Amino acid sequence: MAVVLPVAPLAVYLFLFLWSAVPFAPAEPVLLAGGAVAGAGGLFLPLAIAATTLGSLASDLAKYALGRSAGTALLGRISRLRTGARAVRWLEARILASGPMVIAPSYFVPCGVVVATILCGALRLRLRAVVLASAVGALIWSTVFLGLGYLGATVTGNPWFGLALAVPAALVIGLLAKRRVTRQCACEPENHEEPCPLAV
């Protein structure tokens, strides 16, 4: 079932870029839908991946800049919630140990990339390293979620069925990421002082 878009494909690529660039916006459902449209022939998948990667990178740099200017206040607000406080402590320890590359896997942890990029700004980490880590994470994240929608539409031959198939697959990926991080926490000796933010 081929999709006929009501607007030019360029407008859809621009929408994917802009939506991914909005800080704190939940972009995964939009990526799954975009992938499903691409799987039905409405978009060129590599261009969709490029648009969302660049948008997400722009969002990360905005949160990094926010962290540099108001990181302490923002992290204080996040830390008012018990889960938020755990996330801040847990990610801060890993950023101090491993640097900005923690950003890449944090894309698959709920709110992880938000905390990680703000922390990188608050800790005044080098912009070049943050850009590299964010670019890697954004590319992997975009490819995974757009790819799920694309695969679903390709397998079912229908973008709506493809989206319905991709959503539970995305939820499974999120649960697996959460389980992996939780298991990693359980294996680390410091987890008694700094509880895993996902082990709630």
Side-chain angles (χ1 to χ4, degrees), residues 13-47:
Y13 295 128
L14 182 60
F15 173 76
L16 289 172
F17 168 78
L18 292 175
W19 188 268
S20 301
V22 176
F24 315 112
E28 287 83 359
V30 174
L31 266 66
L32 291 173
V37 171
L43 296 173
F44 184 49
L45 183 62
L47 283 181

Side-chain angles (χ1 to χ4, degrees), residues 71-123:
T72 303
L74 284 172
L75 293 172
R77 290 186 178 182
I78 295 173
S79 296
R80 290 175 186 172
L81 301 173
R82 190 178 72 167
T83 303
R86 288 179 174 181
V88 170
R89 290 197 304 270
W90 191 79
L91 280 168
E92 183 176 13
R94 278 140 191 85
I95 287 173
L96 291 173
S98 306
M101 283 311 294
V102 172
I103 292 173
S106 74
Y107 262 90
F108 297 92
V109 176
C111 297
V113 71
V114 173
V115 174
T117 47
I118 291 176
L119 271 170
C120 285
L123 295 171

